């Protein structure tokens, strides 16, 4: 650590001479590359109108065959300060001797630094949007068209491995990991990724803070084949290799998420590390279908938005038939039942609310949940089962509320396939048996169609 | 009598126990360390004096009884993941500890001491088997590789000229016995209070005029890691408190009676955005982990101290950053750790979690890196004025100043100038000025990329972005690795430089030179994706939010309960 002393010489120079001397000293210091040891020179006014030239040196620095004080003396002499030659004409003020320094000096005249200051370059972190704002957004994957890309699939698998090692964190950690992996740089993209990992059962999130956590390695039975287990939760290459030594593991790449790993064998005996058993959660989809409430009861559980002053928002009404929002007047606010988007401009905050005319409440929820309500109460939503392929097909605009979509995804461990048709986008959920489809459709008040 | 392998494993474990990832490790084996290893880390019993037992174990392993020949080949195999030569290297450092102040540091004097501790005949120069010079270097390299692979910073380094290989030993030796005696005397003469933390004692020591060259050089070294190791070693002497009694060396049994847990500060933000401060206990280094409990108030119920990562316990409760007197808490569960101390201080300097650049601000590191964003907390009063003076003198800058009660908080602080020598701080501000003064012409910042959250390393394919902070326009940078990778360039300061994405898993060293002098050095690792390990002890987040779970308690694919009342919110 440097200890800054000053080698001081009494001087009687005018302003121009002082500046010239400083410039010569600077040149000497820079030519010899000594600015780390001799970082600055100062002219100070003494108490009796005399001047003192002081060159700072690091008393703790050692130079080959010399010390910093000697180097300071040589630099002054080379710059024409001849009086520095004799110790009798110069003296040292030690860093500790602050009190004496104050007695001696009466103010700085000139000061020349031989180093460059650092540029202040701290940029403040951009805080994440509120959870309400993120809940109001579409899944970013819906905005992308195209076939699954092997590189993209690998990125998602790596993200899950990274989440498995991190264990838990705030949304910003996933956002930063997504940025590094090249998945997304946006908050909405990070939220979409987190939402999909939650649907797949790998992670869970805390709605208020958007904190997330991985779950321990777990086997989930599929709906269509009780002997087939999907690995969810923490996953690393080492774990999978260990598992492969004991069981048959099939990997099924899927777009917008990590590969789906199907594990065959006796779940009672499966370990992912020496002595560490996999947890067997059974068929979670079926279990959820037994526990989830009917849609009317779900609506009753949704939290209420208590906003009173709507005039400060730009308000848009969701038109279910067109699947579009359009702006409405802020003056004539006769609320008709349905989904609204409220935008506060400075700072921009977007909130979704569903006006339920049954009890005059504003319901809060995520985009898909509230849009489903709006469409279900207006034009109705559709769900079609393809018995031959065990696919449940849902128009993209009728995407189910998250609790019910969890059941669909966990039935197979696969995210829905996105299919484009002339009539619009469709979501096809895999491995859905007729009983499960019927049960979930009943809960949501939908009529299950067969193709 | 303990076997060599037992000593070897115990010594290696002792020096990394309780050390935070990324922290520098010194194999500073002295008398107290040998006693401590024997008492707390050695799995086999010793025969009488631990030092004799240790040196005999080393002798039996590597000195041939015929001709007193040292056979280093017996030390080259690894035991588990621990290199076989650690105990031998420790004994080499121990020999350096026995050198007296007046002895010149050269091979001639050093090897006399080494011969002494190895029980070899007293004669000049290297013992048989350690010739030619540098035969033992491979052992040092193995130790360094072991440390970096474990996520620590190695400190044993090669020198030049006549100290090419001796430098390895000297770089590890911290306080010699004679230095400790000297310090005991100084502590006693100065009537030091017993409640200094390591930082405060370090500041006090840095202000002393010390004529002992080894001690002076250590306390004012250009490498802050080495300075800090001297502070820590001096603090261990101070902590024993035997210096208060006067007299000679302390009794062996007294040595281990008074270790304490030091506390720093951990900052969180409440829902309204206001800062909250927590005690942040540091895991005492060189101790075997045990279940510790701390009692917040005398007679109150005990609070378990949970390790959140090596080197740190979870913050147990909130605290006011500036107390009128140091706070002492009783600790139970360990034979030598009896107290936890929160010091009375006038400022705190917090840095971001080194393993998570969006993480919490806390006293994660004992010293600052150039270019590092800081949060500086000051007690209301003189230091607040001093910070304003620092800013006016353009020594540092910050973006926001907030005040609450007795705490002034400066956010996003950054040290900007090297010219602290030209600034005369007030007497109250000297410690703060010292803490903020840059120690070198340059610093290395590594950010971005993708870090393995548990290994203090970056993942293959996602290396960090390099930035050099310094007090000149351009710097020479060399990035090298043990397996041959080498990239040399000159870069402007504060320019983000992306490192090659195809850098292979290895340990890399970045050396920044300015005017042909080493201005900064930093190591980092790149690890393969296959080495990533799932985190144990997962945080349990159970979501009950009706929009996401319809009020069921869900934890990913696990159904953990139902909340029929439809409670809104999530339970972590």
């Amino acid at each position: 650590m440097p200890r800054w002393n000053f080698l001081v010489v009494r001087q009687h120079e005018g302003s121009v001479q002082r500046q010239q001397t400083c410039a010569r000293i600077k040149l000497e210091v820079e030519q010899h590359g000594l600015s780390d040891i001799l970082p600055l020179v100062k002219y100070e006014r003494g108490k009796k109108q005399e001047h003192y030239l002081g060159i700072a040196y690091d008393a703790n620095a050692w130079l080959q065959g010399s010390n910093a004080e000697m180097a300071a003396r040589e630099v002054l002499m080379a710059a024409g300060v001849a009086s520095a030659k004799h110790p009798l004409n110069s003296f040292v003020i030690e860093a500790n001797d602050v009190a004496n320094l104050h007695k001696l000096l009466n103010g700085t005249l000139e000061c020349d630094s031989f180093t460059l200051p650092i540029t202040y370059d701290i940029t403040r972190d951009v805080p994440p949007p509120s959870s309400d704002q993120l809940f109001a957004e579409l899944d970013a994957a819906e905005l992308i068209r195209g076939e699954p890309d092997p590189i993209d699939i690998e990125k998602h698998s790596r993200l899950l491995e990274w989440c498995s090692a991190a264990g838990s964190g705030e949304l910003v950690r996933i956002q930063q990991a997504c940025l590094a992996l090249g998945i997304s740089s946006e908050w909405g993209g990070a939220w979409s990724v987190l939402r999909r990992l939650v649907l797949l059962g790998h992670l869970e999130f805390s709605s208020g803070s958007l904190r997330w956590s991985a779950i321990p390695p777990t086997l989930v039975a599929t709906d269509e084949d009780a002997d087939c287990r999907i690995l969810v939760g923490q996953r690393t290459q080492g774990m999978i290799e260990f598992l492969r030594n004991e069981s048959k593991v099939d990997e099924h790449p899927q777009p917008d998420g990590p590969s789906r790993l199907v594990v065959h064998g006796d779940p009672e005996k499966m370990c992912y590390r020496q002595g560490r058993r996999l947890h067997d959660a059974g068929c979670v989809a079926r279990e959820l279908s037994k526990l989830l409430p009917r849609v009317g009861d779900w609506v009753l559980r949704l939290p209420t938005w208590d906003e009173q002053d709507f005039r400060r928002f730009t308000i848009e009404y969701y038109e279910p038939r067109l699947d579009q929002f359009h702006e409405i007047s802020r003056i004539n606010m006769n609320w008709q039942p349905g989904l609204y988007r409220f935008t506060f401009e400075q700072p921009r905050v977007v909130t979704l609310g569903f006006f339920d005319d049954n009890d005059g409440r504003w319901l809060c929820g995520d985009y898909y949940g509230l849009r489903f309500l709006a469409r279900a109460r207006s034009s109705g939503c559709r769900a079609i089962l393809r018995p031959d392929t065990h696919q449940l097909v849902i128009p993209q605009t009728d995407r189910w509320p998250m609790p019910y979509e969890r059941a669909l995804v966990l039935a197979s461990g696969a995210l829905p396939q996105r299919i484009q048709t002339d009539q619009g986008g469709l979501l096809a959920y895999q491995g859905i048996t007729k009983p499960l489809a019927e049960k979930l459709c009943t809960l949501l008040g939908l009529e299950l169609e067969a193709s | 009598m303990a076997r060599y392998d037992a000593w070897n494993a115990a010594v290696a474990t002792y020096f990394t126990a309780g050390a935070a990832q990324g922290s520098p490790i010194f194999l500073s084996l002295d008398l107290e360390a040998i006693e401590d290893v024997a008492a707390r880390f050695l799995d086999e019993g010793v025969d009488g004096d631990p030092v004799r037992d240790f040196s005999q174990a080393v002798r039996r392993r590597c000195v041939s009884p015929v001709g007193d020949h040292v056979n280093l080949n017996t030390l080259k195999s690894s035991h588990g993941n621990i290199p076989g030569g650690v105990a031998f290297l420790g004994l080499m450092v121990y020999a350096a500890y026995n050198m007296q102040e007046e002895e010149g540091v050269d091979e001639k004097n050093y090897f006399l001491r080494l011969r002494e501790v190895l029980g070899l005949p007293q004669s000049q120069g290297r013992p048989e088997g350690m010739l030619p010079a540098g035969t033992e270097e491979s052992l040092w390299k193995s130790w360094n590789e072991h440390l970096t692979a474990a996520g620590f910073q190695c400190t044993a380094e090669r020198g030049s000229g006549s100290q090419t290989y001796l430098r390895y030993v000297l770089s590890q030796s911290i306080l010699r016995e004679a230095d400790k005696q000297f310090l005991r005397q100084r502590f006693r003469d100065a009537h030091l209070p017993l409640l200094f933390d390591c930082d405060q004692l370090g500041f006090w020591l840095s202000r002393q005029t010390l004529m002992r060259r080894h001690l002076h050089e250590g306390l004012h070294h250009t490498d802050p890691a080495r300075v800090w190791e001297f502070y820590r070693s001096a603090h261990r002497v101070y902590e024993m408190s035997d210096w208060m009694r006067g007299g000679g060396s302390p009794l062996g049994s007294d040595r281990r009676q008074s270790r304490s847990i030091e506390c720093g500060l951990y900052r969180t933000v409440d829902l309204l955005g206001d800062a909250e401060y927590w005690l942040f206990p540091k895991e005492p280094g060189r101790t075997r982990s045990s279940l510790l409990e701390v009692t917040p108030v005398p007679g109150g119920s005990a609070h378990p101290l949970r390790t959140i990562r090596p080197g740190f316990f979870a913050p147990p409760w909130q605290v006011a950053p500036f107390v009128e007197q140091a706070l002492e808490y009783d600790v139970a569960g360990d034979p030598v750790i009896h107290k936890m101390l929160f010091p009375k201080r006038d400022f705190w300097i917090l840095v971001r979690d080194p393993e998570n650049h969006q993480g919490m601000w806390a006293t994660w590191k004992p010293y600052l890196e150039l270019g590092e964003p800081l949060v500086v907390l000051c007690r209301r009063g003189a230091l607040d004025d001093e910070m304003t003076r620092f800013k006016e003198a353009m020594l540092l800058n910050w973006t926001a100043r907030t005040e609450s009660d007795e705490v002034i908080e400066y956010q996003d602080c950054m040290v900007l100038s090297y010219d602290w020598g030209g600034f005369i701080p007030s007497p109250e501000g000297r410690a703060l000025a010292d803490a903020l003064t840059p120690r070198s012409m340059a610093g290395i910042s590594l950010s971005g990329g993708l870090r393995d959250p548990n290994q203090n390393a970056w993942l293959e394919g996602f290396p960090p972005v390099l930035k050099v902070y310094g007090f000149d326009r351009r710097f020479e940078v060399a990035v090298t690795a043990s397996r041959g990778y080498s990239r040399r360039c000159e870069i402007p300061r504060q320019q983000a430089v992306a490192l090659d994405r195809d850098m292979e898993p290895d340990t890399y060293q970045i050396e920044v030179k300015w005017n042909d002098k080493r201005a900064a050095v930093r190591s980092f690792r790149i690890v393969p994706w296959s080495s990533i390990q799932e985190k144990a002890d997962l945080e349990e987040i159970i979501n009950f939010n009706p929009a996401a779970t319809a009020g069921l308690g869900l934890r990913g694919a696990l159904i953990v309960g139902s909340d029929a009342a439809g409670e809104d919110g999530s339970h972590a």
Side-chain angles (χ1 to χ4, degrees), chain B residues 154-188:
Chain B
C154 59
T155 56
E157 60 181 17
R158 198 180 215 245
S160 58
S162 63
Q163 291 199 352
T164 303
Y165 303 108
L166 191 57
R167 179 74 206 146
Y168 279 110
V169 174
L170 299 179
S171 66
Q172 302 301 285
S173 105
I174 307 298
L175 290 185
R176 298 175 188 175
E177 282 309 310
D179 297 323
K180 291 180 184 175
Q181 285 300 332
F182 173 79
L183 285 177
R184 287 187 187 101
Q185 185 67 42
R186 288 300 282 260
F187 296 160
R188 186 164 53 248

Short mmCIF file of all heavy atoms in Angstrom, two decimals, chain B residues 154-188:
data_model
loop_
_atom_site.label_atom_id
_atom_site.label_comp_id
_atom_site.label_asym_id
_atom_site.label_seq_id
_atom_site.Cartn_x
_atom_site.Cartn_y
_atom_site.Cartn_z
N CYS B 154 -4.15 -18.86 -5.87
CA CYS B 154 -2.87 -19.32 -5.33
C CYS B 154 -1.93 -18.12 -5.19
O CYS B 154 -2.09 -17.11 -5.89
CB CYS B 154 -2.26 -20.39 -6.21
SG CYS B 154 -1.98 -19.86 -7.89
N THR B 155 -1.00 -18.22 -4.26
CA THR B 155 -0.14 -17.07 -3.96
C THR B 155 1.34 -17.42 -4.02
O THR B 155 2.17 -16.51 -4.00
CB THR B 155 -0.46 -16.53 -2.55
OG1 THR B 155 -0.30 -17.61 -1.63
CG2 THR B 155 -1.86 -15.96 -2.47
N ALA B 156 1.67 -18.70 -4.06
CA ALA B 156 3.08 -19.07 -4.11
C ALA B 156 3.62 -18.75 -5.50
O ALA B 156 3.04 -19.17 -6.50
CB ALA B 156 3.24 -20.56 -3.82
N GLU B 157 4.68 -17.99 -5.55
CA GLU B 157 5.14 -17.55 -6.87
C GLU B 157 6.65 -17.64 -7.01
O GLU B 157 7.39 -17.55 -6.03
CB GLU B 157 4.68 -16.11 -7.14
CG GLU B 157 5.20 -15.12 -6.11
CD GLU B 157 4.73 -13.70 -6.36
OE1 GLU B 157 3.76 -13.51 -7.11
OE2 GLU B 157 5.34 -12.79 -5.78
N ARG B 158 7.07 -17.83 -8.25
CA ARG B 158 8.47 -17.89 -8.62
C ARG B 158 9.06 -16.49 -8.55
O ARG B 158 8.38 -15.51 -8.85
CB ARG B 158 8.54 -18.39 -10.06
CG ARG B 158 9.84 -18.93 -10.52
CD ARG B 158 9.64 -19.37 -11.97
NE ARG B 158 10.42 -20.55 -12.26
CZ ARG B 158 11.44 -20.57 -13.13
NH1 ARG B 158 11.77 -19.48 -13.79
NH2 ARG B 158 12.11 -21.68 -13.34
N GLY B 159 10.32 -16.41 -8.15
CA GLY B 159 10.98 -15.11 -8.13
C GLY B 159 11.95 -14.98 -9.28
O GLY B 159 11.73 -15.57 -10.35
N SER B 160 12.99 -14.21 -9.07
CA SER B 160 13.98 -14.04 -10.12
C SER B 160 15.36 -13.95 -9.49
O SER B 160 15.49 -13.75 -8.28
CB SER B 160 13.68 -12.78 -10.93
OG SER B 160 13.68 -11.66 -10.07
N GLY B 161 16.37 -14.08 -10.31
CA GLY B 161 17.75 -13.98 -9.84
C GLY B 161 18.04 -15.01 -8.76
O GLY B 161 17.65 -16.18 -8.89
N SER B 162 18.69 -14.55 -7.70
CA SER B 162 19.09 -15.49 -6.65
C SER B 162 17.90 -16.02 -5.85
O SER B 162 18.04 -16.96 -5.08
CB SER B 162 20.07 -14.79 -5.71
OG SER B 162 19.40 -13.71 -5.09
N GLN B 163 16.74 -15.38 -6.03
CA GLN B 163 15.56 -15.83 -5.28
C GLN B 163 14.54 -16.53 -6.18
O GLN B 163 13.35 -16.58 -5.85
CB GLN B 163 14.91 -14.65 -4.57
CG GLN B 163 15.76 -14.11 -3.43
CD GLN B 163 14.96 -13.27 -2.47
OE1 GLN B 163 13.80 -12.97 -2.70
NE2 GLN B 163 15.58 -12.90 -1.36
N THR B 164 15.02 -17.08 -7.28
CA THR B 164 14.08 -17.69 -8.23
C THR B 164 13.19 -18.72 -7.54
O THR B 164 11.97 -18.70 -7.69
CB THR B 164 14.84 -18.35 -9.39
OG1 THR B 164 15.65 -17.35 -10.01
CG2 THR B 164 13.89 -18.93 -10.43
N TYR B 165 13.77 -19.61 -6.79
CA TYR B 165 12.97 -20.68 -6.14
C TYR B 165 12.71 -20.38 -4.67
O TYR B 165 11.70 -20.81 -4.12
CB TYR B 165 13.68 -22.02 -6.32
CG TYR B 165 13.90 -22.31 -7.78
CD1 TYR B 165 15.17 -22.25 -8.35
CD2 TYR B 165 12.82 -22.58 -8.61
CE1 TYR B 165 15.36 -22.46 -9.71
CE2 TYR B 165 13.01 -22.79 -9.98
CZ TYR B 165 14.27 -22.72 -10.51
OH TYR B 165 14.44 -22.91 -11.85
N LEU B 166 13.60 -19.65 -4.06
CA LEU B 166 13.39 -19.29 -2.65
C LEU B 166 12.15 -18.41 -2.52
O LEU B 166 11.49 -18.40 -1.49
CB LEU B 166 14.64 -18.52 -2.16
CG LEU B 166 14.74 -18.27 -0.66
CD1 LEU B 166 14.68 -19.57 0.11
CD2 LEU B 166 16.03 -17.52 -0.34
N ARG B 167 11.83 -17.71 -3.59
CA ARG B 167 10.67 -16.81 -3.56
C ARG B 167 9.38 -17.57 -3.26
O ARG B 167 8.47 -17.05 -2.62
CB ARG B 167 10.58 -16.10 -4.92
CG ARG B 167 9.43 -15.16 -5.08
CD ARG B 167 9.64 -13.86 -4.33
NE ARG B 167 8.36 -13.27 -4.01
CZ ARG B 167 8.08 -12.58 -2.93
NH1 ARG B 167 9.01 -12.35 -2.05
NH2 ARG B 167 6.88 -12.09 -2.72
N TYR B 168 9.30 -18.83 -3.72
CA TYR B 168 8.11 -19.63 -3.42
C TYR B 168 7.89 -19.69 -1.92
O TYR B 168 6.79 -19.49 -1.41
CB TYR B 168 8.27 -21.06 -3.96
CG TYR B 168 7.99 -21.22 -5.43
CD1 TYR B 168 9.01 -21.49 -6.33
CD2 TYR B 168 6.69 -21.13 -5.92
CE1 TYR B 168 8.74 -21.66 -7.69
CE2 TYR B 168 6.41 -21.30 -7.27
CZ TYR B 168 7.44 -21.56 -8.15
OH TYR B 168 7.17 -21.72 -9.49
N VAL B 169 8.97 -19.97 -1.20
CA VAL B 169 8.87 -20.10 0.27
C VAL B 169 8.57 -18.75 0.89
O VAL B 169 7.66 -18.61 1.71
CB VAL B 169 10.19 -20.67 0.84
CG1 VAL B 169 10.15 -20.68 2.36
CG2 VAL B 169 10.43 -22.07 0.32
N LEU B 170 9.33 -17.75 0.48
CA LEU B 170 9.20 -16.44 1.13
C LEU B 170 7.84 -15.81 0.85
O LEU B 170 7.31 -15.06 1.66
CB LEU B 170 10.32 -15.51 0.64
CG LEU B 170 11.73 -16.00 0.97
CD1 LEU B 170 12.77 -15.03 0.42
CD2 LEU B 170 11.93 -16.16 2.48
N SER B 171 7.26 -16.13 -0.32
CA SER B 171 5.94 -15.56 -0.63
C SER B 171 4.86 -16.12 0.30
O SER B 171 3.77 -15.57 0.40
CB SER B 171 5.56 -15.84 -2.08
OG SER B 171 5.38 -17.24 -2.28
N GLN B 172 5.17 -17.23 0.96
CA GLN B 172 4.18 -17.84 1.85
C GLN B 172 4.40 -17.50 3.32
O GLN B 172 3.53 -17.69 4.16
CB GLN B 172 4.21 -19.37 1.69
CG GLN B 172 3.94 -19.84 0.28
CD GLN B 172 2.59 -19.37 -0.23
OE1 GLN B 172 1.55 -19.88 0.15
NE2 GLN B 172 2.60 -18.36 -1.09
N SER B 173 5.57 -17.04 3.64
CA SER B 173 5.84 -16.81 5.06
C SER B 173 5.32 -15.43 5.46
O SER B 173 5.63 -14.43 4.83
CB SER B 173 7.34 -16.96 5.32
OG SER B 173 7.95 -15.73 5.49
N ILE B 174 4.52 -15.42 6.45
CA ILE B 174 3.89 -14.15 6.88
C ILE B 174 4.61 -13.69 8.15
O ILE B 174 5.76 -13.31 8.07
CB ILE B 174 2.36 -14.33 7.04
CG1 ILE B 174 1.77 -14.94 5.75
CG2 ILE B 174 1.67 -13.02 7.34
CD1 ILE B 174 1.92 -14.09 4.49
N LEU B 175 4.00 -13.75 9.29
CA LEU B 175 4.67 -13.24 10.49
C LEU B 175 5.61 -14.29 11.05
O LEU B 175 5.21 -15.42 11.33
CB LEU B 175 3.64 -12.88 11.56
CG LEU B 175 2.76 -11.66 11.31
CD1 LEU B 175 1.92 -11.39 12.54
CD2 LEU B 175 3.58 -10.44 10.96
N ARG B 176 6.86 -13.91 11.24
CA ARG B 176 7.81 -14.82 11.88
C ARG B 176 7.61 -14.74 13.39
O ARG B 176 7.00 -13.81 13.90
CB ARG B 176 9.23 -14.42 11.53
CG ARG B 176 9.51 -14.50 10.04
CD ARG B 176 10.88 -13.99 9.75
NE ARG B 176 11.09 -13.89 8.32
CZ ARG B 176 12.19 -13.38 7.78
NH1 ARG B 176 13.16 -12.92 8.55
NH2 ARG B 176 12.33 -13.32 6.48
N GLU B 177 8.20 -15.72 14.07
CA GLU B 177 8.06 -15.74 15.54
C GLU B 177 8.53 -14.43 16.15
O GLU B 177 7.90 -13.88 17.05
CB GLU B 177 8.85 -16.92 16.12
CG GLU B 177 8.15 -18.26 15.97
CD GLU B 177 6.72 -18.24 16.47
OE1 GLU B 177 6.47 -17.79 17.60
OE2 GLU B 177 5.82 -18.67 15.71
N ALA B 178 9.68 -13.94 15.63
CA ALA B 178 10.23 -12.70 16.20
C ALA B 178 9.29 -11.52 15.94
O ALA B 178 9.14 -10.62 16.78
CB ALA B 178 11.60 -12.43 15.60
N ASP B 179 8.61 -11.54 14.78
CA ASP B 179 7.65 -10.47 14.47
C ASP B 179 6.48 -10.51 15.45
O ASP B 179 5.96 -9.48 15.87
CB ASP B 179 7.11 -10.62 13.05
CG ASP B 179 8.19 -10.49 12.00
OD1 ASP B 179 9.10 -9.67 12.20
OD2 ASP B 179 8.13 -11.24 11.00
N LYS B 180 6.07 -11.70 15.76
CA LYS B 180 4.93 -11.83 16.68
C LYS B 180 5.28 -11.29 18.06
O LYS B 180 4.46 -10.59 18.69
CB LYS B 180 4.49 -13.30 16.78
CG LYS B 180 3.87 -13.80 15.50
CD LYS B 180 3.45 -15.24 15.64
CE LYS B 180 2.92 -15.75 14.32
NZ LYS B 180 2.60 -17.17 14.36
N GLN B 181 6.47 -11.63 18.50
CA GLN B 181 6.92 -11.10 19.79
C GLN B 181 6.95 -9.58 19.76
O GLN B 181 6.51 -8.91 20.69
CB GLN B 181 8.33 -11.63 20.12
CG GLN B 181 8.36 -13.07 20.57
CD GLN B 181 7.53 -13.29 21.84
OE1 GLN B 181 7.37 -12.39 22.65
NE2 GLN B 181 6.99 -14.48 21.97
N PHE B 182 7.43 -9.06 18.67
CA PHE B 182 7.52 -7.61 18.50
C PHE B 182 6.11 -6.99 18.56
O PHE B 182 5.87 -5.99 19.23
CB PHE B 182 8.21 -7.31 17.17
CG PHE B 182 8.21 -5.87 16.79
CD1 PHE B 182 9.14 -4.98 17.36
CD2 PHE B 182 7.28 -5.36 15.88
CE1 PHE B 182 9.14 -3.65 17.00
CE2 PHE B 182 7.29 -4.02 15.53
CZ PHE B 182 8.21 -3.16 16.09
N LEU B 183 5.18 -7.64 17.86
CA LEU B 183 3.81 -7.10 17.82
C LEU B 183 3.16 -7.15 19.20
O LEU B 183 2.47 -6.22 19.61
CB LEU B 183 2.96 -7.86 16.81
CG LEU B 183 3.24 -7.55 15.34
CD1 LEU B 183 2.37 -8.43 14.44
CD2 LEU B 183 2.96 -6.08 15.04
N ARG B 184 3.39 -8.26 19.91
CA ARG B 184 2.81 -8.36 21.27
C ARG B 184 3.25 -7.16 22.11
O ARG B 184 2.46 -6.55 22.82
CB ARG B 184 3.23 -9.67 21.93
CG ARG B 184 2.54 -10.88 21.36
CD ARG B 184 2.86 -12.14 22.17
NE ARG B 184 2.30 -13.30 21.49
CZ ARG B 184 2.99 -14.15 20.74
NH1 ARG B 184 4.29 -14.02 20.63
NH2 ARG B 184 2.39 -15.16 20.14
N GLN B 185 4.54 -6.87 21.98
CA GLN B 185 5.10 -5.76 22.74
C GLN B 185 4.43 -4.44 22.32
O GLN B 185 4.05 -3.62 23.15
CB GLN B 185 6.61 -5.69 22.50
CG GLN B 185 7.35 -4.65 23.31
CD GLN B 185 7.34 -4.98 24.80
OE1 GLN B 185 7.53 -6.12 25.20
NE2 GLN B 185 7.07 -3.96 25.63
N ARG B 186 4.26 -4.26 20.99
CA ARG B 186 3.67 -3.01 20.50
C ARG B 186 2.21 -2.88 20.94
O ARG B 186 1.75 -1.80 21.30
CB ARG B 186 3.73 -2.94 18.97
CG ARG B 186 5.11 -2.69 18.42
CD ARG B 186 5.68 -1.38 18.92
NE ARG B 186 5.16 -0.22 18.23
CZ ARG B 186 5.79 0.43 17.26
NH1 ARG B 186 6.99 0.06 16.91
NH2 ARG B 186 5.24 1.46 16.67
N PHE B 187 1.49 -3.99 20.90
CA PHE B 187 0.09 -3.94 21.34
C PHE B 187 0.01 -3.53 22.81
O PHE B 187 -0.83 -2.73 23.21
CB PHE B 187 -0.59 -5.32 21.18
CG PHE B 187 -0.71 -5.81 19.75
CD1 PHE B 187 -0.90 -7.17 19.49
CD2 PHE B 187 -0.63 -4.93 18.68
CE1 PHE B 187 -1.02 -7.63 18.19
CE2 PHE B 187 -0.74 -5.39 17.37
CZ PHE B 187 -0.93 -6.74 17.13
N ARG B 188 0.92 -4.14 23.58
CA ARG B 188 0.90 -3.86 25.03
C ARG B 188 1.28 -2.40 25.28
O ARG B 188 0.60 -1.70 26.03
CB ARG B 188 1.87 -4.80 25.74
CG ARG B 188 1.81 -4.69 27.27
CD ARG B 188 2.46 -5.87 27.97
NE ARG B 188 3.81 -6.14 27.52
CZ ARG B 188 4.19 -7.21 26.83
NH1 ARG B 188 3.30 -8.13 26.52
NH2 ARG B 188 5.43 -7.39 26.46
#
